[in-house]
Amino acid sequence: MRLRSHASFLLFPMMAVLPAGVIHAVPRAVFPLPKLDAPLAAASGKQTAVFAGGCFWGVQSVFERVKGVVATTAGYSGGTADTATYDQVSSERTGHAESVKVVFDPSRITYGQLLRIFFSVVHDPTELNRQGPDVGKSYRSVIFYNNEEQRKIASAYIAQLDALKVFPKPIVTEVTPLKAFYDAEAYHQDYALKNPDNPYIEVCDRPKIDALKQQYPELFMDYKGSH
């Protein structure tokens, strides 16, 4: 969410409701597990997944509360290092998407489980180049895969969800190789945690955290911050 628009956030009727990703969230009872997934690893370790699904504040606020996630970082993917600054990305001319790097322990949670949360709680994957009140390609839905296994699992899950018509419209999420990830500025890290009374956080991000806790209580953990 662009900082300059926060002051006027509640002046617009469309913004006085939950973000589209929460409005259209499908209850867990009917949201399927991925048919194709990697098994839980036999030993603990670290793997990385990168997701883009609208403003990175909300995406990070969900994944940092998932058991098995070791660390999260808000940042930018899809553009170049020279243009990986908030002001430049906000111009919508750099090719970046606001993204979150998720480091997880594959012995505690699978990549497919992360995808299930991404599609059911984090955002609305049927919105093209926007997410709720945030409009532009920097808010597009993308899965940046690190390897062929992640590509296969993500592509298969999208096909599975579309075939089952889980959403009223086709999924527009891109599945593209991760070329680079650039950390966002320090003030963006844990932004929702540090600014709980911000109107945007209250309306757009807090409901996502609540949905995670309600739909996936066995995966939810309290988070006090690390940045």
Side-chain angles (χ1 to χ4, degrees):
M1 180 66 180
R2 294 181 180 84
L3 295 180
R4 61 178 177 271
S5 62
H6 282 168
S8 59
F9 177 74
L10 294 178
L11 297 180
F12 297 92
M14 68 167 288
M15 297 181 181
V17 296
L18 299 183
V22 175
I23 290 174
H24 296 138
V26 179
R28 180 193 181 187
V30 296
F31 208 94
L33 287 165
K35 290 183 178 179
L36 179 65
D37 194 5
L40 284 173
S44 62
K46 291 182 179 179
Q47 292 184 15
T48 301
V50 177
F51 302 106
C55 175
F56 46 24
W57 298 345
V59 179
Q60 183 180 41
S61 69
V62 173
F63 280 119
E64 63 193 5
R65 289 172 170 81
V66 175
K67 290 180 180 178
V69 170
V70 178
T72 64
T73 306
Y76 313 107
S77 297
T80 65
D82 290 341
T83 59
T85 67
Y86 190 65
D87 288 343
Q88 289 174 294
V89 173
S90 295
S91 74
E92 297 296 338
R93 295 190 297 268
T94 70
H96 286 289
E98 290 194 10
S99 309
V100 173
K101 179 171 64 178
V102 178
V103 180
F104 65 99
D105 183 344
S107 72
R108 299 179 61 199
I109 192 166
T110 68
Y111 184 67
Q113 286 177 299
L114 294 177
L115 288 174
R116 192 185 189 201
I117 292 170
F118 177 66
F119 284 110
S120 63
V121 174
V122 168
H123 79 313
D124 181 349
T126 70
E127 289 203 317
L128 181 64
N129 295 334
R130 68 172 298 159
Q131 201 62 211
D134 299 320
V135 180
K137 291 198 69 175
S138 66
Y139 301 112
R140 67 190 185 274
S141 175
V142 191
I143 296 168
F144 292 99
Y145 62 85
N146 280 297
N147 51 51
E148 183 63 11
E149 181 181 55
Q150 288 188 355
R151 185 195 69 78
K152 288 181 177 179
I153 294 172
S155 297
Y157 196 39
I158 290 172
Q160 178 185 343
L161 296 178
D162 274 339
L164 293 173
K165 299 188 183 301
V166 172
F167 295 96
K169 297 184 294 183
I171 291 171
V172 297
T173 304
E174 301 173 13
V175 179
T176 189
L178 178 68
K179 296 181 179 179
F181 178 89
Y182 307 103
D183 291 7
E185 295 81 351
Y187 66 90
H188 286 300
Q189 309 302 332
D190 284 350
Y191 189 91
L193 180 73
K194 296 172 182 175
N195 299 272
D197 297 328
N198 183 300
Y200 180 88
I201 301 302
E202 289 182 333
V203 174
C204 292
D205 295 342
R206 184 71 234 179
K208 297 179 182 182
I209 298 171
D210 293 340
L212 175 69
K213 186 174 183 178
Q214 180 180 20
Q215 295 186 38
Y216 301 97
E218 77 284 3
L219 293 176
F220 182 86
M221 65 177 183
D222 197 14
Y223 177 75
K224 300 300 185 182
S226 61
H227 294 283

